[in-house]
Structure formats: C-alpha cells, structure tokens
Amino acid sequence: LGAWEVRAKADAYERMGRAPFPVGWTDSNKDDHVNEDYRSRMVVKGTKRVSTIASDDIAAVTSSTPPLEGIRLLLCAAMTWPCTPDDPYVMQFLDISRAHPHSKPLRDNIYIEAPKELGLAVGQCLLLLRSWYGTRDASQAFEYAVKDAFVKRDYVPGTVSVCIFKHVSKPICYLVHGDDYVGVGKRADLKDFYQSLQTTFIVEMRG
C-alpha cells in the first residue's frame, strides 16, 4: 500500500513541532475461543492531548454514520421494487479489509515512531503516506475515499444521509457504515459492483 517512508526525526520536529507519535500493537480474535483467528494491527497513539489537531476541532475528526432507517429503506426497496420471480432484488453485505490505509491522510505531516520490528537506525522515524489506525482523522479520510469510490462508479449520495448511495441509472442502492456496506439490487448488478470495487479496496463478500 506504500503506507510510509523513512525520514529523520528532525523532520518531525520541524514540520509538526513535536516528536513523532508513538505506536503500539493491538491483537484481536476475529473468530471465537474455539476457532481462534488472531490479527495484529499497528496503531498510532493519537489522542486529544497527543495530536496536531486542536482538541475542540470536532469537524476535523468526525465521520458520518447512517440512520437506522437506512437499513429499513433497503429492506423496503428489496421487497417492493418491481421485479420478476426469476430475477428478484437481493441484498449484499461487503466488508472492506484494512480500511484506513486505503485512504490518503488529510494531513501531510504525520510522523510516527517506527516499530522495532522494522529495525530502523536511531534518529529515524516514519512519515505516513496513507491514513493509519489511531490518527484522529483516519475515519474521516476513509469516508472521503469511500465517497470518491462510489461517485467514480456513477453513484450519488443521498440528500438526507450522505451514507446512502444510489446509482444514477440502475436500481441499486448501498448503505455505508464505516467499512461495512449493505446493498440492494439485481444479483448481476451487485456482483459487477463488487468486482469493480476490488480494484480500489480489499473487499470481502459477507453475504
């Protein structure tokens, strides 16, 4: 993904006015205690007190979430849009893997400490070239990337909720909640969208 490049720590002090942000690792079990499937993720330890974004700048760190009525809207569409018995409307569930690194950072001066596993020399750190977990504006950066991906494929965001996208000419509608997508449309159209989206994101079909 080309997530970072090595820089001198002196660059961080010059451009951020502070030391590189510390990093850590989080482990999560994606399955259960019987069928364990642990994943490790490096996260930046960015907080309100440890950030180059003002602590009260809510607009810089928030991202949109869909209303509960959005799911009801999709269910209603799947049940009521006119169709033939042999080509019904169906629902699709997609999950974007490694969501945040798919988007570009909203700031071009985010420096982080390098994990010891990289074995960098003393005095070196990393400049983020992609958005990363733990930075305060990561979710907003990914929201912009998602919108661009839909608009590029001829979808328009809703006027009531920007988390709901409808195709300009086909009966297809998607609801976006972070890195999870729920879609309704004809099976062939949903399959085409899934295959197209794979050229932009790492996508898993959940149903």
Side-chain angles (χ1 to χ4, degrees):
L1 292 174
W4 55 60
E5 61 184 25
V6 178
R7 293 292 184 88
K9 286 187 177 180
D11 292 351
Y13 285 97
E14 180 180 345
R15 299 193 62 206
M16 290 201 306
R18 55 154 293 137
F21 294 113
V23 300
W25 291 92
T26 61
D27 299 322
S28 59
N29 184 7
K30 296 293 186 178
D31 211 318
D32 55 41
H33 69 282
V34 176
N35 304 299
E36 295 181 345
D37 182 17
Y38 278 93
R39 310 285 178 87
S40 295
R41 173 178 292 173
M42 187 185 78
V43 296
V44 180
K45 297 180 181 180
T47 66
K48 285 185 177 182
R49 293 185 299 172
V50 184
S51 176
T52 56
I53 300 175
S55 60
D56 59 350
D57 191 356
I58 303 301
V61 298
T62 55
S63 58
S64 304
T65 55
L68 178 61
E69 288 78 10
I71 290 292
R72 295 171 178 166
L73 173 68
L74 264 61
L75 290 171
C76 181
M79 296 299 294
T80 60
W81 282 354
C83 63
T84 58
D86 59 341
D87 190 20
Y89 286 98
V90 297
M91 299 191 73
Q92 179 190 67
F93 302 87
L94 303 178
D95 178 35
I96 309 300
S97 299
R98 303 173 183 86
H100 290 170
H102 282 296
S103 54
K104 295 181 180 179
L106 302 181
R107 294 167 287 160
D108 63 358
N109 64 337
I110 306 176
Y111 292 80
I112 64 173
E113 293 283 358
K116 63 181 182 180
E117 290 81 0
L118 285 182
L120 296 188
V122 176
Q124 291 184 318
C125 64
L126 303 174
L127 170 64
L128 289 182
L129 303 179
R130 311 295 293 180
S131 184
W132 204 261
Y133 309 103
T135 54
R136 293 183 61 210
D137 52 359
S139 60
Q140 188 175 106
F142 183 63
E143 178 185 349
Y144 294 157
V146 168
K147 179 181 177 181
D148 290 344
F150 273 95
V151 171
K152 179 182 177 181
R153 292 166 175 82
D154 296 328
Y155 285 80
V156 292
T159 54
V160 174
S161 173
V162 295
C163 298
I164 299 175
F165 293 85
K166 189 177 186 305
H167 196 275
V168 296
S169 60
K170 299 178 181 179
I172 318 171
C173 190
Y174 277 91
L175 178 143
V176 173
H177 186 274
D179 56 5
D180 296 312
Y181 300 175
V182 181
V184 61
K186 295 298 183 67
R187 193 178 301 273
D189 290 333
L190 297 182
K191 181 179 179 181
D192 288 344
F193 177 79
Y194 166 64
Q195 293 176 337
S196 174
L197 199 64
Q198 287 180 306
T199 64
T200 302
F201 301 131
I202 301 173
V203 189
E204 295 185 22
M205 178 92 71
R206 297 299 188 186

